[in-house]
Amino acid sequence: MQIKPFRIEQYFGKYEFTAKYLLSSSDAESRTIQELLELEPGSQEKFLRHWCGYTESPGAPELREVISGMYKGIKPSDVLVMAATEEGIFVFYHALAGAGDHIIVETPCYESALELARSTGAQVSEWRRCYENGWAHDLAALEKLLQPNTKIIYINTPHNPTGLLMTASAFQQLIKLAASRGIIVFCDEVYRELEHDPANRLLAACEIYERAVSLGSMSKTYGLPGLRLGWLASRDTEILERCLEFKYYTTICSSAPSEFLAALGLRHREVLVQRNRDIVLRNLPLLDAFLRQRSNFFEWVKPNASPIGFVRFKPQREVQSFCEEVVKNAGVLLLPGTVYDQPHHIRFGYGRKNMPESLAQLSAYLDAHS
Ligand SMILES: Cc1ncc(COP(=O)(O)O)c(C=O)c1O
């Protein structure tokens, strides 16, 4: 298998645990295990007694039950639990695609969605979105990319890195197009339920199209990436069966303590979402005002979901060296768009409690150096 370096994770690997101010994280504020256990009386004792043997490969039954309850028309058997969402991307592509297949990937995107597709040996086309037209989804361009052997279309809504939702009409048109040709839609929904206005939430792809697979995660909206737990949800039993066959070669089953804590967290997810949405809604206007005040430096399409946004960097200088300078001198971690092949953008994150402080640090640094 040929695979390129994962630039996003490499960049975070270099600075995430040393930088003092994280201003580009895509996961919302986290919690302690104790805080999770406090969500439900008696759960601390249960957790301490929880058996640490292997669990069922498709996922612990109580967890599949609670995940299926998050969707309309999805049964526990339509859910395949993964040891992190990242495993879900790897397993999905490798179980379903290979040489001779064609995959379309919406870009810019979380890098593994593109590189893991390529690593299967399939031919991969990018369905490109661009800042100049407000990151709109060009359905006509998508249609032109289709080939007789197109097997999968990958989309991501709410979207990393722009923090934008696909419009309901683009989403419906895309599903219709895929359904007319029996193409599998792999819909990365890891930021779902963190729409800034919940009224804008789209239906999950697995709810509206039988050959769609929805990718879910504990990491982003719920702020629990340390559980390393994600899932695939689909009404297509053959797709899930093939992914399960592949999972036997990656992790066999997920971590028993993580499955316990994920089920507990999801049973109380309105508490997790409410706290994280409150943080996002408090931080976003501050970040937007900061960007407006510095409109000689920055501009963006203001996000409407997730804790991230993609900001155009106007000065004629390399964005990567700017971000490295900021992290080294001010301790503020920004993510340069070069890791998405977008050399004029920077990813900001506004899902952490201390974002106002991080922003103040960046502001002071820019004042002193521009
Ligand atoms: C769009 C998207 N999909 C998948 C992942 C992987 O998630 P996890 O860390 O839960 O494996 C990420 C993480 O940043 C992401 O942004």
Side-chain angles (χ1 to χ4, degrees):
M1 182 178 92
Q2 296 287 325
I3 193 152
K4 282 197 198 154
F6 198 152
R7 293 167 298 175
I8 299 174
E9 298 303 340
Q10 272 184 341
Y11 197 82
F12 270 104
K14 202 163 158 192
Y15 298 114
E16 186 176 4
F17 297 98
T18 48
K20 193 160 172 208
Y21 304 99
L22 303 181
L23 195 53
S24 53
S25 303
S26 61
D27 45 323
E29 182 84 12
S30 197
R31 300 178 177 250
T32 62
I33 291 175
Q34 184 174 342
E35 284 171 307
L36 276 180
L37 293 172
E38 280 167 4
L39 292 170
E40 205 167 286
S43 59
Q44 183 160 346
E45 297 70 34
K46 271 198 201 158
F47 186 51
L48 292 177
R49 286 197 307 271
H50 196 65
W51 192 251
C52 271
Y54 284 108
T55 72
E56 288 86 341
S57 293
E62 72 161 5
L63 177 58
R64 292 171 92 197
E65 176 87 38
V66 65
I67 293 172
S68 68
M70 294 164 63
Y71 302 98
K72 281 200 194 82
I74 294 291
K75 307 184 293 298
S77 58
D78 298 332
V79 173
L80 179 57
V81 173
M82 290 289 168
T85 318
E86 191 57 51
E87 184 190 30
I89 301 174
F90 186 90
V91 162
F92 171 85
Y93 278 137
H94 279 271
L96 290 155
D101 294 322
H102 176 236
I103 303 175
I104 299 175
V105 177
E106 173 189 352
T107 61
C109 68
Y110 185 60
E111 208 166 5
S112 61
L114 184 63
E115 291 308 329
L116 284 172
R118 287 180 173 145
S119 75
T120 64
Q123 183 201 348
V124 177
S125 304
E126 293 183 49
W127 181 31
R128 292 200 171 95
R129 297 168 62 196
C130 63
Y131 176 71
E132 287 67 25
N133 69 354
W135 302 113
H137 288 94
D138 183 344
L139 271 299
L142 175 65
E143 206 163 345
K144 281 197 196 125
L145 293 174
L146 292 174
Q147 299 181 9
N149 62 341
T150 303
K151 190 164 190 190
I152 295 165
I153 300 176
Y154 167 92
I155 54 172
N156 171 214
T157 181
H159 180 242
N160 178 353
T162 63
L164 292 167
L165 276 159
M166 192 178 276
T167 63
S169 105
F171 188 54
Q172 278 153 15
Q173 284 179 63
L174 182 140
I175 296 283
K176 210 169 143 196
L177 189 64
S180 70
R181 302 178 185 225
I183 297 169
I184 300 169
V185 174
F186 185 30
C187 189
D188 185 329
E189 298 169 2
V190 302
Y191 300 97
R192 195 157 181 268
E193 300 199 339
L194 203 51
E195 298 79 11
H196 301 167
D197 178 354
N200 292 334
R201 185 166 308 149
L202 294 172
L203 287 171
C206 65
E207 294 175 318
I208 53 168
Y209 176 39
E210 222 158 85
R211 279 176 76 68
V213 177
S214 290
L215 180 69
S217 178
M218 294 308 296
S219 303
K220 309 296 179 182
T221 299
Y222 314 111
L224 301 170
L227 296 186
R228 307 313 297 132
L229 199 129
W231 61 87
L232 303 173
S234 178
R235 286 179 283 148
D236 189 312
T237 44
E238 199 197 317
I239 293 178
L240 284 197
E241 192 55 42
R242 287 174 70 174
C243 292
L244 175 62
E245 290 301 322
F246 208 95
K247 185 185 172 180
Y248 291 134
Y249 282 112
T250 50
T251 56
I252 303 173
C253 70
S254 300
S255 137
S258 289
E259 287 190 317
F260 179 99
L261 294 170
L264 172 63
L266 290 178
R267 279 198 294 275
H268 300 275
R269 71 187 205 284
E270 72 289 351
V271 178
L272 308 185
V273 174
Q274 172 86 44
R275 204 273 320 257
N276 290 345
R277 211 173 131 260
D278 286 350
I279 294 174
V280 158
L281 293 185
R282 182 204 60 184
N283 287 343
L284 183 59
L286 301 178
L287 178 55
D288 192 44
F290 165 89
L291 297 172
R292 281 170 194 274
Q293 277 156 15
R294 295 173 187 280
S295 57
N296 52 331
F297 257 73
F298 304 116
E299 64 185 12
W300 70 345
V301 179
K302 194 177 167 192
N304 56 9
S306 88
I308 51 178
F310 213 33
V311 173
R312 176 93 178 173
F313 182 65
K314 290 175 159 180
Q316 291 302 313
R317 63 166 291 191
E318 271 196 7
V319 86
Q320 178 123 4
S321 71
F322 170 75
C323 291
E324 301 233 27
E325 184 188 302
V326 168
V327 73
K328 284 177 188 154
N329 298 327
V332 178
L333 181 57
L334 298 169
L335 183 63
T338 37
V339 299
Y340 292 91
D341 292 321
Q342 296 282 322
H344 304 293
H345 276 80
I346 295 174
R347 190 181 87 186
F348 277 70
Y350 46 89
R352 297 294 176 87
K353 259 190 199 155
N354 73 341
M355 194 222 68
E357 200 189 337
S358 305
L359 204 55
Q361 291 294 323
L362 177 62
S363 194
Y365 181 79
L366 292 179
D367 285 343
H369 294 87
S370 51

